[in-house]
Amino acid sequence: MLSEKMNEALNAQANRELYSSYLYLSMSYYFESTGMTGFASWMRVQAGEELVHTMKMLDYVANSGGRAKMMAVEAPQLSWASPMQAFQHVWNHERMVTGLIHALVRVAESESDEGTKRFLQWYLEEQVEEEESSDRVLKIVQAAGSESSALKAADKELGQRRFKFPSGFEIFPYSAIPTTIGSLKK
Ligand code: OFO
């Protein structure tokens, strides 16, 4: 059973994960509007991953005796001065999120909640990957600079990225959340 404080902190982080999805979706449509469909596609995959992060966290709350609550999602930035600025934003954002996950782990420690601490390990590992990947793509876009053919090549390269559900987790069907579906059937 989650403490009230842990429940609130997890709901707040799920909201930040959803904001991350919204931010990357905003970047995706910004790139789509500039004709850079490979960058748009990369951001769309990233937005999908953030939605998974959101639902995985809310499912955990629901399955741990807590209550998953939806809150207003902040409106994201709508445009960027250049691809480099957008990918720099991704780089900064992921490092900020890592800090938030560490803060969440500290809440779990202060609540003596070993189960949540173990659950958050997945997010810490995910952040290591997200930081690495944001670093790699930023370097690719930085190397392209503002030179048109180099940017087109970078756009093509990043467009190869494909979405994959993390192992053992699916958003659909409902069976991903057995406790909740059990109570819905009653
Ligand atoms: Fe949820 O990992 Fe990025 O923000």
Side-chain angles (χ1 to χ4, degrees):
M1 181 85 179
L2 292 175
S3 70
E4 187 75 27
K5 187 174 172 189
M6 196 72 251
N7 192 150
E8 269 180 32
L10 288 163
N11 279 335
Q13 182 58 33
N15 179 272
R16 296 318 289 164
E17 298 290 342
L18 194 54
Y19 169 76
S20 299
S21 183
Y22 216 25
L23 172 67
Y24 295 137
L25 210 50
S26 182
M27 289 181 180
S28 178
Y29 287 113
Y30 156 73
F31 280 126
E32 196 278 336
S33 75
T34 64
M36 292 172 152
T37 54
F39 291 160
S41 176
W42 193 94
M43 291 296 178
R44 197 177 175 90
V45 172
Q46 188 69 13
E49 288 203 353
E50 298 299 349
L51 184 61
V52 166
H53 297 172
T54 306
M55 293 179 79
K56 189 178 170 80
M57 194 162 282
L58 293 173
D59 285 356
Y60 175 77
V61 170
N63 288 321
S64 306
R67 177 69 167 93
K69 287 187 186 154
M70 308 304 115
M71 291 172 280
V73 181
E74 187 187 332
Q77 191 172 327
L78 295 177
S79 62
W80 289 263
S82 63
M84 208 194 300
Q85 200 195 70
F87 281 97
Q88 180 67 58
H89 191 161
V90 176
W91 194 96
N92 295 344
H93 185 74
E94 286 308 324
R95 276 143 190 84
M96 189 272 292
V97 171
T98 300
L100 292 177
I101 302 291
H102 280 294
L104 206 49
V105 171
R106 286 196 292 276
V107 175
E109 280 166 354
S110 73
E111 296 295 289
S112 307
D113 187 340
E114 279 306 311
T116 300
K117 222 178 125 182
R118 264 198 310 279
F119 168 71
L120 291 173
Q121 196 54 41
W122 184 87
Y123 284 83
L124 288 176
E125 284 161 20
E126 186 69 8
Q127 281 312 121
V128 171
E129 280 179 29
E130 299 254 291
E131 288 195 13
E132 276 170 11
S133 121
S134 64
D135 200 49
R136 189 171 39 79
V137 293
L138 177 60
K139 283 190 176 118
I140 292 171
V141 176
Q142 274 172 339
S146 50
E147 209 271 306
S148 165
S149 62
L151 263 180
K152 268 189 195 144
D155 184 60
K156 193 171 172 198
E157 183 178 348
L158 267 60
Q160 304 305 308
R161 184 183 189 193
R162 292 291 174 268
F163 178 81
K164 249 193 356 232
F165 276 108
S167 72
F169 185 81
E170 296 276 343
I171 290 180
F172 317 106
Y174 280 146
S175 58
I177 45 172
T179 311
T180 307
I181 200 66
S183 60
L184 281 175
K185 277 179 183 159
K186 276 177 207 155

